[in-house]
Amino acid sequence: MRTLDIIKTANTNLLRNKVRTFLTILAIFVGSLTIILNSAINAGVNDYVDGQIKAMGGDGYLEMMPTAALDAMSSMMGGTIKEYTEDKPGDSQAVYFKDEQIEEIKKIDGVKEFYPLYSTTEDYITSEKTDKRYNVSLNGVVKGFELDLVAGKSPNLDDTGVYEIALNENYLEPLGFKDAEDAVGKTVTIAVPSTVKCYTSAKRSDCQTLVTATISGVQANGILSMGGPRVNMQLWNEIHEINSEGMPPESSDRFYQASAFVEPDKIDEIKEKLEKINVKAMTIDDEVGTIRIFLDAVLAILNIFGGIALIAAAIGIINTLFMSVQERTREIGLMKALGMSRLKIFFSFTAEAIALGFWGSLFGTGVSMLIGYGANAVLHNEGMFLESFPTFSLVKFTPEIIIPIVLLVMFIAFLAGTAPALKAAKKNPIDALRYE
């Protein structure tokens, strides 16, 4: 009997007892569905987080601040309290980057770009489509960011003097735009205060400078990209200049946060060198590490339940095939009498086990895809919790996920079928033919 004939016969034999076969496949289906669906959710979440990290600068992006600034923030948030010492008094200047630190950072091998992140203040944003004004807090975007956009493009980072902004979706309706596409290419007006002038001005409007910026694109909401609209560095620097008007340079040019683009394979080495000059640095992946660990732990627990279901299914396969061997004892004896080898008899029964695993995992894959894509569509509807994250796909089914799981289930089924198959292969043909 050829291998193909054995496989066809194995599938036909599964139909001899449809109820028993159905219940066994059902158990395999439950375990496969749980594991495949969890794996797809894990892939979807991690793919989205990776995209968010990429939008925030990617693997080679570092955020840094002086150790003193981080300690001060930690103390304010209830962290470790530092003991006062006379050689290190509580100097407020220590929380800002020093010139020598900046020079040392730029000299570190692997640091390609360094950007000071000045604190800026904006009073409001408005557009020609509305007479209302809205509070706004802007963020800068530097080279290397790949913003997650629903329309348009990232702000122009070339030194052209053009002011551009990527709005958040939640600003569209208040500013009078119909949708993201309608906003692209339009302009907004940002009111920027001069800190010094505002101390003496009777009216806030007297110390404001109105700056016009072109909307280059609209950002999709994200778990990492939450915050204000993002502007190119030309506009960011202009806002800083307006805020700092009238201030002495030693006050206006200081900053306690900075970012840098570095060579990804040198990040650990660069972090160590920064530590030596009292600067702490983190990648975006460092900041979301806890989120990843939590999600992976939850999905791992769910996969354990899927594994338990597969163990139960394996026991069902053993039971199904032992009963099948018992029922087909005379048939096994006849096959041996006609010259069928032990190996082929063994393979014919393990083929049935593998077929059970294949059909169970195949149905599990199909139903998990229906559930996953269906849930993804429903949860993006208005009023649902994914409505605000249009680019977040809850599940991601790929051959790299599905094929290994299907093969694993088939292998488990094969192992479960070996004991009944060995029993069938070892039967004495004469005794088998006499079996009633």
Side-chain angles (χ1 to χ4, degrees):
M1 185 180 283
R2 294 177 304 171
T3 302
L4 185 60
D5 293 331
I6 291 175
I7 294 172
K8 287 180 179 178
T9 303
N11 282 281
T12 302
N13 287 335
L14 293 179
L15 300 176
R16 289 188 176 192
N17 193 316
K18 296 182 180 63
V19 174
R20 190 166 64 207
T21 298
F22 170 76
L23 293 175
T24 305
I25 289 178
L26 182 63
I28 299 170
F29 157 81
V30 171
S32 301
L33 182 145
T34 303
I35 293 175
I36 291 173
L37 193 56
N38 286 339
S39 298
I41 292 172
N42 192 33
V45 170
N46 281 313
D47 185 64
Y48 181 68
V49 172
D50 289 340
Q52 292 285 292
I53 290 173
K54 195 174 182 181
M56 296 291 287
D59 294 334
Y61 180 72
L62 276 180
E63 291 185 343
M64 58 186 75
M65 59 196 315
T67 304
L70 197 63
D71 290 342
M73 289 178 63
S74 177
S75 296
M76 286 188 290
M77 297 173 66
T80 304
I81 305 299
K82 296 289 184 179
E83 184 179 357
Y84 173 86
T85 54
E86 289 189 11
D87 59 327
K88 292 183 179 180
D91 183 4
S92 61
Q93 297 295 326
V95 300
Y96 297 103
F97 277 96
K98 298 175 182 177
D99 291 340
E100 55 267 29
Q101 286 177 315
I102 297 170
E103 291 303 316
E104 287 295 329
I105 291 170
K106 291 179 178 179
K107 291 178 185 177
I108 294 175
D109 182 37
V111 175
K112 297 184 288 187
E113 302 279 352
F114 177 82
Y115 299 96
L117 299 179
Y118 295 108
S119 296
T120 62
T121 302
E122 303 80 30
D123 279 350
Y124 66 81
I125 186 171
T126 188
S127 78
E128 60 185 15
K129 291 179 174 287
T130 180
D131 56 357
K132 294 182 179 179
R133 300 174 296 183
Y134 298 93
N135 292 329
V136 69
S137 179
L138 301 177
N139 294 301
V141 57
V142 296
K143 289 181 180 179
F145 276 42
E146 295 183 28
L147 299 182
D148 192 8
L149 302 170
V150 294
K153 58 184 179 63
S154 292
N156 188 347
L157 300 179
D158 296 329
D159 191 12
T160 58
V162 177
Y163 300 153
E164 290 190 344
I165 182 172
L167 283 181
N168 296 64
E169 282 187 290
N170 57 329
Y171 277 89
L172 295 177
E173 185 178 344
L175 292 178
F177 301 114
K178 292 183 294 184
D179 52 35
E181 296 291 344
D182 179 46
V184 175
K186 304 294 194 309
T187 60
V188 293
T189 300
I190 303 160
V192 183
S194 168
T195 304
V196 173
K197 285 183 179 180
C198 286
Y199 276 117
T200 57
S201 298
K203 292 174 60 180
R204 186 74 176 181
S205 58
D206 292 340
C207 64
Q208 291 172 340
T209 299
L210 300 182
V211 181
T212 300
T214 301
I215 301 170
S216 65
V218 178
Q219 297 182 85
N221 288 332
I223 57 174
L224 300 182
S225 57
M226 289 180 177
R230 289 193 173 271
V231 301
N232 58 359
M233 292 310 292
Q234 292 93 314
L235 179 50
W236 184 260
N237 290 332
E238 174 65 15
I239 292 172
H240 173 64
E241 288 294 326
I242 296 170
N243 287 161
S244 305
E245 188 179 348
M247 288 185 179
E250 59 269 20
S251 296
S252 63
D253 292 341
R254 63 187 186 182
F255 54 94
Y256 64 89
Q257 285 184 297
S259 64
F261 280 95
V262 303
E263 294 178 24
D265 58 341
K266 294 183 178 179
I267 281 181
D268 290 337
E269 180 185 340
I270 291 170
K271 283 183 179 180
E272 289 179 8
K273 291 179 179 178
L274 290 172
E275 288 271 4
K276 293 178 181 178
I277 58 172
N278 295 316
V279 174
K280 293 280 188 180
M282 287 190 299
T283 64
I284 300 299
D285 198 38
D286 290 336
E287 297 177 20
V288 299
T290 304
I291 297 175
R292 284 190 191 272
I293 292 170
F294 174 75
L295 290 173
D296 288 345
V298 171
L299 292 171
I301 291 170
L302 293 175
N303 278 333
I304 289 172
F305 287 110
I308 292 171
L310 284 180
I311 292 171
I315 295 171
I317 291 171
I318 295 170
N319 180 61
T320 296
L321 292 185
F322 267 128
M323 293 183 71
S324 181
V325 170
Q326 192 73 15
E327 292 168 356
R328 292 156 57 191
T329 299
R330 286 175 63 84
E331 182 184 326
I332 293 168
L334 182 60
M335 287 189 291
K336 282 201 165 186
L338 293 173
M340 194 170 183
S341 67
R342 283 188 173 190
L343 182 61
K344 286 191 174 181
I345 290 174
F346 172 82
F347 182 52
S348 68
F349 278 92
T350 53
E352 288 183 33
I354 293 170
L356 287 168
F358 172 75
W359 291 115
S361 58
L362 185 66
F363 294 145
T365 299
V367 175
S368 65
M369 292 179 75
L370 286 174
I371 293 173
Y373 287 130
N376 191 62
V378 170
L379 293 174
H380 278 93
N381 287 335
E382 187 175 353
M384 304 301 285
F385 81 95
L386 289 183
E387 179 193 1
S388 301
F389 305 100
T391 59
F392 181 17
S393 179
L394 182 63
V395 292
K396 184 180 181 181
F397 294 96
T398 63
E400 291 81 5
I401 293 172
I402 295 171
I403 292 175
I405 294 174
V406 171
L407 292 176
L408 174 64
V409 173
M410 290 170 66
F411 179 69
I412 291 171
F414 165 77
L415 293 179
T418 53
L422 284 171
K423 182 179 180 182
K426 290 179 180 179
K427 280 192 176 292
N428 185 293
I430 297 175
D431 292 337
L433 289 169
R434 287 176 179 172
Y435 181 81
E436 293 295 337

